[in-house]
């Protein structure tokens, strides 16, 4: 029997629905402030989400959608400055509008904390953005709930590469068999699976049609007693909502 020692969470889309009304709006505000006539609507943003990481997403947009745009040089510097503006706007959005956590997230995090299960974050987003979401949407001291917040450029290769998960396992001195991961996207699932980690997927509107065949469980959200989750794939073990008991059962099944 394998002992559950840690839960590892992706951030955007998994902890909270931050993409459509958070990151997307922040990108558009940054473009406007920089004098660029670019507008990422919901549909376009859904397509751009296949590229993880804000800087990488801007670069992809330039290359795939703005062929006629003469690329400023040095391109890396231009993108970094634009992304820094976007980070400023994203933090403002979180501070002013607070994006709520997804159903069941706070309950599960508190249960894990109370049972001394180690917590970590593995995100492609920039560190200040992950920290701001935790502070504004969970609790002021929430960043300290997590032993490691592995974010952004801490690894060279972002999801779907397994690097961020391998980095965490090494830093926390954990075996993949002792951890369970929570993701919302196919590229997050691939990253975790390549690192030999079992993964639970909570889908959202942007990701619900993606391939999650490698997940141990796919649900619409983590649920609450009065708001049960719907199992999309896998065995929810007769539960209404996701708790530590289910995490342990999934790890050992
Ligand atoms: C989500 C992302 C990020 C955000 C933008 O990562 O792909 O790129 O959309 O964040 P994850 P930044 O699902 O791994 O949390 O602009 O800070 O990169």
């Amino acid at each position: 029997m394998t002992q559950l020692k840690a839960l590892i969470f992706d951030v955007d889309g998994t902890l909270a629905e931050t993409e459509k009304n958070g990151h997307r709006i922040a990108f558009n505000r940054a473009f406007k402030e920089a004098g660029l006539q670019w507008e990422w609507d919901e549909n376009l943003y859904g397509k751009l989400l296949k590229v993880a990481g804000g800087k990488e997403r801007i670069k992809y947009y330039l290359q795939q959608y703005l062929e006629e745009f003469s690329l400023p040089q040095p391109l890396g510097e231009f993108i970094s400055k634009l992304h820094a503006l976007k980070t400023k706007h994203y933090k403002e959005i979180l501070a002013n509008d607070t994006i709520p956590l997804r159903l069941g997230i706070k309950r599960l995090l508190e249960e894990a904390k109370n049972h001394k299960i180690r917590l970590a974050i593995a995100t492609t987003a920039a560190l200040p953005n992950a920290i701001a979401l935790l502070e504004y949407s969970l609790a002021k001291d929430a960043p300290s709930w997590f032993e490691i917040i592995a974010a952004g450029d801490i690894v060279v290769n972002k999801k779907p590469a397994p690097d961020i998960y391998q980095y965490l396992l090494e830093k926390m001195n954990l075996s993949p068999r002792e951890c369970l991961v929570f993701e919302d996207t196919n590229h997050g699932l691939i990253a975790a699976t390549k690192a030999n980690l079992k993964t639970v997927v909570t889908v959202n509107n942007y990701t619900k049609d993606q391939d999650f065949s490698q997940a141990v469980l796919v649900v619409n959200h983590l649920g609450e007693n009065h708001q049960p989750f719907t199992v999309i794939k896998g065995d929810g073990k007769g539960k209404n909502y996701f708790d530590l008991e289910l995490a342990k059962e999934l790890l050992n099944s």
Side-chain angles (χ1 to χ4, degrees):
M1 172 134 167
T2 313
Q3 204 195 336
L4 174 71
K5 291 194 179 159
L7 299 182
I8 307 174
F9 290 82
D10 166 55
V11 173
D12 296 300
T14 301
L15 294 186
E17 306 274 16
T18 48
E19 293 292 6
K20 181 167 70 112
N21 297 324
H23 288 292
R24 186 182 68 88
I25 307 292
F27 279 113
N28 285 334
R29 288 185 187 168
F31 299 154
K32 197 166 176 198
E33 190 176 336
L36 299 160
Q37 311 294 311
W38 308 344
E39 177 81 24
W40 289 358
D41 64 23
E42 286 176 31
N43 184 37
L44 171 61
Y45 195 66
K47 293 180 186 147
L48 297 175
L49 274 177
K50 77 174 189 191
V51 179
K55 291 194 286 271
E56 291 77 1
R57 195 167 300 141
I58 295 170
K59 188 171 182 191
Y60 174 79
Y61 174 69
L62 282 168
Q63 290 168 342
Q64 299 297 318
Y65 291 83
L66 291 188
E67 279 164 26
E68 75 290 355
F69 184 76
S70 64
L71 297 179
Q73 298 299 333
L75 184 60
E77 200 176 293
F78 167 76
I79 292 176
S80 287
K81 282 191 180 149
L82 195 52
H83 187 251
L85 262 188
K86 180 256 164 179
T87 297
K88 180 193 79 167
H89 284 291
Y90 182 67
K91 288 200 286 187
E92 276 172 22
I93 290 167
L94 291 181
N96 297 327
D97 303 331
T98 309
I99 298 178
L101 294 178
R102 292 191 68 183
L103 201 65
I105 287 287
K106 185 161 190 243
R107 173 187 48 72
L108 180 62
L109 287 171
E110 282 173 340
E111 188 190 2
K113 206 158 76 84
N114 291 338
H115 286 80
K116 307 269 181 281
I117 299 291
R118 298 161 73 188
L119 294 171
I121 294 277
T123 176
T124 309
L127 182 62
N129 293 343
I131 288 179
L133 180 77
L134 293 172
E135 286 180 345
Y136 289 117
S137 300
L138 182 54
K140 189 69 195 139
D141 70 337
S144 70
W145 299 15
F146 297 86
E147 195 173 316
I148 299 189
I149 300 177
D153 299 331
I154 194 121
V155 290
V156 177
N157 303 308
K158 295 186 176 176
K159 300 173 190 176
D163 302 30
I164 194 115
Y165 283 109
Q166 288 164 343
Y167 170 88
L168 271 180
L169 291 171
E170 197 188 316
K171 285 275 169 201
M172 294 173 80
N173 196 20
L174 284 165
S175 146
R177 289 179 302 113
E178 299 167 326
C179 315
L180 196 63
V181 169
F182 295 83
E183 278 281 359
D184 71 308
T185 64
N186 167 263
H187 65 236
L189 171 63
I190 292 173
T193 305
K194 279 193 190 150
N196 298 317
L197 287 153
K198 286 191 172 178
T199 304
V200 174
V201 171
T202 49
V203 297
N204 56 50
N205 265 346
Y206 275 131
T207 69
K208 62 181 172 9
D209 298 323
Q210 295 179 359
D211 176 12
F212 294 124
S213 48
Q214 302 203 72
V216 289
L217 183 69
V218 183
V219 285
N220 58 340
H221 49 63
L222 294 182
E224 291 291 2
N225 201 14
H226 56 284
Q227 280 170 282
F229 57 45
T230 300
V231 175
I232 297 162
K233 176 199 165 278
D235 183 357
K237 316 277 182 195
K239 291 265 183 188
N240 274 348
Y241 59 91
F242 200 100
D243 61 1
L244 279 188
E245 192 181 40
L246 180 52
K248 287 173 190 166
E249 284 192 43
L250 289 174
L251 206 60
N252 282 289
S253 56

